[in-house]
């Protein structure tokens, strides 16, 4: 890959991102601008921004890489990512918007009338956000080294600096414009090369050969283990989506509950179309470039395939577009996560003012950057899948039971979140540490959501039933606010 292609793509992307961020500085003035964009973001804009931050390194690079090495087994990732939004539409979107909170900890305190429950939620939101940022920085490191030949750490630092500057300048209102632009850039960057490749293949008479399973699963592996792994992954992706803080904070920016539902419907449509293209990349990679997998860099398939199949200047242009799209994925997801983490830290620790938000944004960027620089990258989709499992075991039970069950108490919520965090976090750490030494328990540790999510729900419900006397005094008023239809806003008078 020519280094000038990578440099041109990155300079162009960073320039446009900085320009949009500067525009956000001009229109972001109030505290509500920084936290929830003054609750004025319309469905199409918000859906584009959600697509921008949700389609992370795992979606843009990782899904195709997993299909390259695992075949159809990897299709559970795009299915789960998209179906998770259907769960979000059915159970969370509108009630969460009606809660009137700025952040998930705000919702927790309002629903449970407990400062302690809020603090536990705040810690978990920050942990989830940091765990999710690290794979984005690893993806940036991989892309930078392939695109330009520079040391990989330059990619992580570049993303961290651009995100920090953008968030500090304009907060949520600025990030909304940036992420909406970055979504459509990602969509174009992943779709256009594939369309171009398929046109060339059609005109030249080249067809995709019947692809054997060059990277088939171990024939000695238990079919039961494979079934469990798939079920656990789907549980993690479906329920984990409900608790992602950078996605949930977006629903606070809608003007009302119906707008939140329309936003979610649009997002489902956008995701459904987007995930067709990484799947095609994976199929073409298995057919024409299996050496990318055997070379140990399957996550680089999307970056390398256009240059392999399209010769000359056209291939260089398509490669530059893909590089820009990949960095747009890292930037947009990291931006959304930093906004959500900074909102929590500034609200709970720094007084909730704009200055506190900016300080928190810098801190929220530096911590995962240090972790990324000191750790090695896993497969991107796999590492993000573990974050989904952790979120599904902690924040998801709180939101579902908090919205739909009057009986949830602060003691139950705290116990359930801590139990889910301990079980899922412990399983992930033990699985990485023990590896094959875990024997028959290896698959349970590698994909823990199938048992940690029910355990978290059970603990939350059980402790709440044992502490009925701790139910909030204003529970009827709270539940009415979450579920009663909103009154239409009167038209402005001149």
């Amino acid at each position: 890959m020519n280094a000038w292609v990578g440099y041109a793509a990155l300079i162009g992307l960073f320039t446009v991102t900085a320009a949009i961020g500067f525009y956000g500085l001009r229109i972001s003035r109030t505290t509500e601008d920084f936290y929830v964009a003054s609750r004025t973001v319309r469905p199409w804009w918000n859906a584009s921004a959600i697509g921008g931050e949700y389609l992370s390194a795992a979606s843009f690079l990782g899904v195709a890489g997993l299909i390259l090495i695992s075949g159809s087994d990897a299709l559970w990732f795009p299915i789960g990512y998209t179906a998770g939004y259907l769960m979000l539409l059915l159970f969370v979107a509108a009630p969460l918007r009606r809660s009137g909170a700025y952040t998930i900890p705000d919702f927790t305190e309002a629903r449970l009338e407990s400062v302690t429950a809020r603090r536990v939620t705040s810690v978990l939101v920050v942990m989830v956000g940091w765990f999710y940022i690290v794979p984005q920085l690893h993806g940036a490191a991989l892309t930078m080294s392939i695109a330009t030949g520079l040391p990989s750490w330059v990619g992580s630092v570049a993303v961290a600096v651009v995100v920090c500057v953008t968030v500090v300048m304009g907060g949520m209102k600025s990030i909304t414009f940036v992420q909406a632009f970055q979504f459509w850039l990602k969509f174009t960057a992943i779709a256009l090369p594939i369309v171009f490749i398929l046109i060339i293949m059609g005109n030249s008479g080249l067809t995709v050969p019947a692809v054997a399973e060059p990277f088939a699963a171990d024939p000695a592996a238990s079919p039961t283990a494979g079934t469990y792994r798939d079920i656990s992954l789907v549980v993690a992706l479906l329920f984990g989506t409900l608790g992602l803080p950078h996605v949930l904070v977006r629903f606070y920016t809608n003007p009302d509950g119906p707008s939140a539902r329309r936003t979610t419907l649009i997002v489902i449509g956008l995701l459904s179309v987007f995930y067709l293209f990484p799947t095609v990349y994976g199929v073409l990679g298995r057919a024409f470039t299996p050496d990318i997998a055997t070379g140990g860099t399957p996550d680089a398939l999307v970056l390398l395939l256009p240059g392999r199949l399209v010769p000359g200047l056209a291939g260089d242009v398509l490669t530059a577009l893909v590089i820009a799209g990949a960095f747009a994925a890292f930037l947009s997801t990291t931006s959304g996560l930093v906004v959500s983490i900074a909102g929590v830290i500034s609200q709970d620790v720094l007084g909730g003012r704009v200055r506190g938000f900016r300080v928190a944004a810098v801190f929220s960027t530096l911590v995962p950057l240090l972790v990324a620089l000191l750790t090695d990258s896993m497969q991107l989709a796999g590492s993000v899948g573990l974050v989904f499992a952790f979120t599904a075991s902690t924040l998801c039970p709180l939101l579902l039971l908090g919205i739909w069950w009057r009986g949830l108490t602060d003691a139950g919520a705290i116990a359930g979140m801590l139990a889910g965090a301990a079980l899922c976090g412990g399983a992930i750490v033990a699985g990485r540490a023990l590896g094959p030494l875990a024997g028959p328990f290896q698959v349970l540790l590698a994909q823990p959501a199938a048992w940690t999510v029910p355990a978290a729900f059970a603990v939350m419900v059980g402790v709440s039933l044992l502490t009925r006397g701790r139910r909030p005094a204003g529970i009827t008023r709270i539940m009415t606010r979450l579920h009663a239809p909103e009154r239409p806003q009167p038209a402005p008078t001149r």
Side-chain angles (χ1 to χ4, degrees), residues 185-238:
L185 174 60
K186 282 187 285 188
F187 189 91
T188 304
I190 202 163
L192 187 60
I194 283 296
V195 172
F196 198 91
I197 289 170
L198 294 178
I199 290 173
I200 291 178
M201 291 174 61
N203 291 336
S204 63
L206 182 65
T207 59
V208 178
V211 183
E213 293 287 333
F215 312 107
D218 183 359
S222 168
T224 304
T227 301
Y228 167 82
R229 188 182 298 108
D230 292 340
I231 292 173
S232 190
L233 176 62
V234 170
V235 169
L237 298 179
L238 289 181

Side-chain angles (χ1 to χ4, degrees), residues 248-479:
L248 293 174
V249 74
R250 275 278 160 206
F251 293 107
Y252 303 131
T253 66
N254 282 116
D256 49 42
S259 294
R261 285 192 295 269
R262 286 195 296 272
T263 295
T264 310
L265 281 172
I266 296 170
V267 170
I268 292 172
L270 295 177
L271 295 182
S272 299
V273 176
F274 179 90
Y275 281 120
L276 295 174
F277 297 103
T279 303
V280 177
Y281 271 98
V283 172
L284 294 179
R286 289 173 71 82
F288 297 111
T289 58
D291 60 292
I292 294 177
T294 56
T297 56
D299 288 326
L301 173 63
V302 173
L303 302 172
L304 299 175
L305 188 67
R308 293 283 191 93
L309 299 184
V310 182
L313 180 60
D316 289 340
V317 172
L318 293 177
T319 299
L321 182 62
V322 171
I323 292 170
F327 265 88
F330 313 142
L331 290 171
S332 56
T333 299
T334 305
S335 297
L337 290 163
V338 169
V339 167
S340 63
I341 298 170
V344 169
I345 294 176
S346 63
Q347 287 278 333
D348 290 0
V349 180
L350 301 175
R353 299 184 181 278
V354 171
R355 178 181 173 84
F357 178 90
R358 287 171 166 160
V359 173
V362 175
F363 177 72
S364 301
T365 307
L366 287 177
V367 171
L369 174 61
L370 291 176
V371 174
L373 293 176
L374 296 174
T375 56
D376 295 326
S377 174
M378 297 171 59
Q379 289 179 357
L380 295 177
S383 58
V384 170
L386 293 178
V387 177
F388 273 69
F390 186 84
T391 306
S393 304
T394 53
L395 298 177
C396 171
L398 167 72
L399 290 167
L400 285 181
L401 294 177
I403 290 173
W404 295 102
W405 185 43
R406 296 170 58 92
L408 183 66
T409 66
D410 58 339
I414 293 170
M417 286 189 289
L418 293 179
L423 291 173
C424 188
I428 293 171
V429 172
R432 294 293 304 276
L434 296 175
L437 297 178
F441 299 102
Q442 184 177 6
V443 67
L444 297 177
L445 299 177
Q447 289 289 351
W451 56 275
T452 59
V453 173
F457 272 101
V459 170
M460 204 170 282
V461 171
V463 175
S464 294
L465 292 175
L466 294 174
T467 57
R468 291 185 179 91
R470 298 181 65 91
R471 293 177 183 175
I475 185 61
T476 300
R477 172 184 54 81
I478 295 169
M479 298 302 285

Side-chain angles (χ1 to χ4, degrees), residues 32-54:
E32 279 208 336
D33 284 339
F34 273 80
Y35 285 110
V36 291
S38 296
R39 305 184 193 275
T40 58
V41 184
R42 296 299 174 182
W44 264 104
W45 270 109
N46 220 12
S48 298
I50 289 174
E53 65 185 5
Y54 187 62

